[in-house]
Amino acid sequence: AQGLGGGLYRGLSQAGTDGLWIASSTGKVERLDTRGGHVVPLAHHAALLGQLRLTSVRQDRHGQLWIGHRSGLIRIDPRTGALRQWAQDGDDAVPDNTSIDWLVEAPDNTLWLVSQMGGVQQRDLTSGRVLRTIAKQEDGGGLPDIEGVAVGPDGRVWLGGAAGMMVWDATAQRFTAVGAMGGERVYAFAFEHADRLWLHRMSGIEAWRREGGRWVRERRIGAAEGLPAVESTGLAVDPQRRVWLGTRRGLFRIDPNLRGSRALLRNFSVR
């Protein structure tokens, strides 16, 4: 066990019930014990990884570790060290010739990745084979700019970005806009549960509730309640149903008071 290896940690993934995998810009993959605080480096391929700028990491249901970087995608079995790599060309290549910024796992045994340029790719979790690629086109075609991706409680892949919220439609085989939520850019989003979605826009935090198959906005918390108009870098909902919002002006904790009273905000500012 030792301290963190250093660098910018852009990759974060659950590692069992009491750990996190973290991946840094200096090519280090480490497991953090969330109970004791101990840090242990990945036991395999340190020399290879040390040559790369790592940008994302995901441990799948089979225990395999997927690692995105500036030039491709790697899968490592942390137990045996078994390794597979996919580059920006060749068989099952990654899209866009840019970094892999997001990795999410869907319940249908597939992995979805999103590149820095906004290309989206679906892969078979077992073989790594590419099932579909939605590439960003030079003329601007393809999906709008993406700010975040997540698998919802309904098992579908959701995107937030320049055109608002979008969700994967398995029947139509494409991402479709969630029209009820409007087209204003979404910087971050998170599900509280299957029927409530929180999202952040420049105009504020919004709570959306699903009623009979329709999404209805039930709350907006903005400048009037003390939340500045600022871009966000992440959003999460804790077990007490408080919303946490990461921004360049620090971390905000929001007790939304959905029954109608004024929201309670606390800012943990940057010093």
Side-chain angles (χ1 to χ4, degrees), residues 65-108:
L65 201 59
W66 297 80
I67 303 166
H69 58 90
R70 289 282 182 89
S71 305
L73 180 66
I74 295 172
R75 189 181 70 190
I76 298 174
D77 187 330
R79 297 155 295 195
T80 67
L83 171 77
R84 288 203 64 183
Q85 297 189 70
W86 296 272
Q88 293 172 341
D89 52 25
D91 294 339
D92 296 308
V94 299
D96 296 340
N97 295 321
T98 59
S99 61
I100 305 302
D101 284 359
W102 290 282
L103 295 165
V104 297
E105 179 185 352
D108 61 354

Side-chain angles (χ1 to χ4, degrees), residues 187-198:
Y187 290 99
F189 69 95
F191 284 90
E192 180 181 329
H193 50 68
D195 295 320
R196 180 174 291 136
L197 171 69
W198 289 91

Side-chain angles (χ1 to χ4, degrees), residues 36-55:
H38 302 296
V39 178
V40 179
L42 179 67
H44 309 283
H45 308 295
L48 169 67
L49 295 171
Q51 302 174 22
L52 305 172
R53 293 181 63 86
L54 309 182
T55 52

Side-chain angles (χ1 to χ4, degrees), residues 160-183:
M165 294 298 301
M166 305 185 77
V167 63
W168 179 252
D169 185 327
T171 302
Q173 293 290 288
R174 63 186 178 90
F175 285 97
T176 59
V178 185
M181 296 182 183

